[in-house]
Amino acid sequence: MPAAPLPPLLFAAWRSGPAHAGQGNPEKGGRESAGREMERQQLEGLRERVLCAAVLEQAGFAIDLKESTRRAIKYRRDAEIVIVIHEGRGWFDPLSDAKGDVFSLVQHVEGLSFVEALGHVASLVGSIAKSPVWTRPTRETEPAVSISDRWRARRKPWPGSATWRYLHDKRSVADAVIRAAIQQDLLREGPRGSMWAAHVDDHRAITGWEERGPDWRGFSTGGSKVLFRFGPPDALRLCVTEAAIDAMSLAAVEGSREGSLYLSTGGGWSPATDAAVRTLAGRSGAQLVAATDANDQGETFAGRLRDIADAAGCDWLRLMPPAEDWNDALKEKVREEKEKREASLTCRMPAGRVKGKAPPGFAGP
């Protein structure tokens, strides 16, 4: 598609560039020049006409549908990640503090100056980005009740319930771990056989929940990510994972190791999450265990945790899952144990025993 022509004032601002922005700081001069030559409504109009998704697709990013929700669509380009929010008009980088509108996004992913970003955005007018194909129907109305009331209105899982079967049968989480999480009021029955896993603040007040199911993943509408916390609140071994199911899976793999608190950031890294981790790491004798995924994002989170540990003066350890994440590792462990049991039963069967026939050398009565 040919680039759309620049509006006259925008063209003038774009052509000015850093080289023509005056003395001193070129970036600052470019912004001031653009501000003088372009009316505010032109900028706003351009923001409305070009969505962040169009910028990312043009830059070679692809949608990670598995990790996306309708309100937060994750895009990846190799190790880079950008989350698009506000119906395509806002974004943030979960691996850094970068965020903003479509203009700052161009600067972030293309490495351009502000005035260069204006021209780049204008060239994308008329571009149509691909829309994700969702398997879950859209909510017709926004929930009117509070986060805590919505949580209390849901039933806790019970043996044989849809959520219990999902965690045990599909995710291989041990019954003992599921029971312990229920006793700590961390789990609820979600719709369509899904699981809700609570995020709480430093006072154990619920702030939201991770939603996971056979055909759905997301985070509570109107909720905020802090930390999922499974284990003794005063534990000093702090195992940080990226999902509540990974936290419970690691607990299952380790047999809920004594003195361990299994945590989940919910796949993101909000300021509230950062503050909560720093508070925990500040405990005397604490050890921060980076049990994040075995991929680029997991390594980035592990680096952040090491920085926090250094700042707090506590021990730090990288605990790498032997698979992509701790749930994959748990499922593989459960599968191997099942195969060993079956092999052991086979070895104990009498040799040559065939149903309906006596073994060789048996003469009968």
Side-chain angles (χ1 to χ4, degrees), residues 87-254:
E87 298 181 343
R89 291 177 172 80
W91 66 277
F92 69 92
D93 179 354
L95 306 181
S96 73
D97 296 326
K99 59 183 178 181
D101 61 9
V102 67
F103 300 117
S104 61
L105 177 59
V106 172
Q107 292 178 272
H108 181 69
V109 301
E110 299 287 1
L112 302 179
S113 68
F114 179 72
V115 289
E116 289 171 331
L118 296 180
H120 188 83
V121 172
S123 73
L124 294 175
V125 171
S127 298
I128 300 176
K130 297 178 182 177
S131 298
V133 179
W134 303 106
T135 57
R136 173 169 169 156
T138 307
R139 291 186 177 101
E140 294 182 0
T141 58
E142 294 295 325
V145 294
S146 69
I147 285 289
S148 57
D149 287 342
R150 287 163 58 198
W151 176 261
R152 284 193 294 267
R154 284 283 176 177
R155 294 185 65 182
K156 295 181 180 181
W158 63 94
S161 71
T163 296
W164 193 295
R165 292 198 307 271
Y166 169 68
L167 288 172
H168 182 270
D169 300 345
K170 300 292 185 183
R171 296 296 198 140
S172 299
V173 179
D175 286 341
V177 172
I178 299 173
R179 288 192 182 94
I182 294 170
Q183 289 172 357
Q184 295 174 38
D185 199 27
L186 294 174
L187 298 179
R188 285 292 188 273
E189 292 274 328
R192 299 179 178 86
S194 65
M195 170 210 72
W196 286 5
H199 274 226
V200 297
D201 61 19
D202 294 338
H203 304 289
R204 290 280 169 165
I206 186 164
T207 63
W209 52 83
E210 297 177 40
E211 300 175 351
R212 296 292 186 273
D215 302 309
W216 166 251
R217 64 185 296 138
F219 198 82
S220 54
T221 301
S224 58
K225 295 179 181 180
V226 182
L227 285 174
F228 170 84
R229 312 181 192 219
F230 174 69
D234 58 350
L236 295 178
R237 181 173 179 263
L238 311 167
C239 303
V240 183
T241 69
E242 297 179 51
I245 287 179
D246 285 331
M248 290 186 287
S249 297
L250 177 56
V253 169
E254 295 188 331

Side-chain angles (χ1 to χ4, degrees), residues 42-115:
Q42 282 188 299
L43 280 172
E44 294 300 328
L46 206 51
R47 283 192 184 96
E48 290 297 318
R49 296 173 69 185
V50 181
L51 298 179
C52 293
V55 171
L56 293 172
E57 286 192 6
Q58 192 274 339
F61 283 76
I63 295 175
D64 184 344
L65 190 61
K66 181 181 177 182
E67 297 285 342
S68 298
T69 70
R70 283 187 175 84
R71 294 177 177 272
I73 303 176
K74 178 179 283 189
Y75 286 79
R76 292 182 182 270
R77 183 176 67 181
D78 298 326
E80 297 176 87
I81 298 175
V82 172
I83 310 292
V84 173
I85 54 177
H86 301 320
E87 298 181 343
R89 291 177 172 80
W91 66 277
F92 69 92
D93 179 354
L95 306 181
S96 73
D97 296 326
K99 59 183 178 181
D101 61 9
V102 67
F103 300 117
S104 61
L105 177 59
V106 172
Q107 292 178 272
H108 181 69
V109 301
E110 299 287 1
L112 302 179
S113 68
F114 179 72
V115 289

Side-chain angles (χ1 to χ4, degrees), residues 282-355:
R283 296 174 175 177
S284 177
Q287 181 188 53
L288 203 52
V289 180
T292 49
D293 295 352
N295 54 32
D296 291 334
Q297 178 173 300
E299 288 302 312
T300 299
F301 286 154
R304 287 191 172 191
L305 291 167
R306 183 163 196 167
D307 291 341
I308 291 174
D310 289 343
C314 73
D315 290 338
W316 177 88
L317 174 69
R318 176 66 168 119
L319 188 61
M320 181 89 71
E324 179 76 7
D325 57 42
W326 284 105
N327 187 242
D328 288 340
L330 174 63
K331 288 188 286 190
E332 180 64 20
K333 180 176 183 287
V334 170
R335 184 188 66 79
E336 290 177 354
E337 290 175 349
K338 180 180 179 182
E339 290 178 353
K340 288 180 181 179
R341 288 195 301 270
E342 292 174 348
S344 177
L345 288 173
T346 301
C347 291
R348 288 202 297 268
M349 290 180 63
R353 186 66 179 265
V354 180
K355 186 176 181 180

Side-chain angles (χ1 to χ4, degrees), residues 30-46:
R31 286 179 176 269
E32 292 173 350
S33 177
R36 288 194 300 269
E37 298 183 33
M38 185 187 307
E39 295 181 5
R40 183 179 181 83
Q41 55 265 33
Q42 282 188 299
L43 280 172
E44 294 300 328
L46 206 51

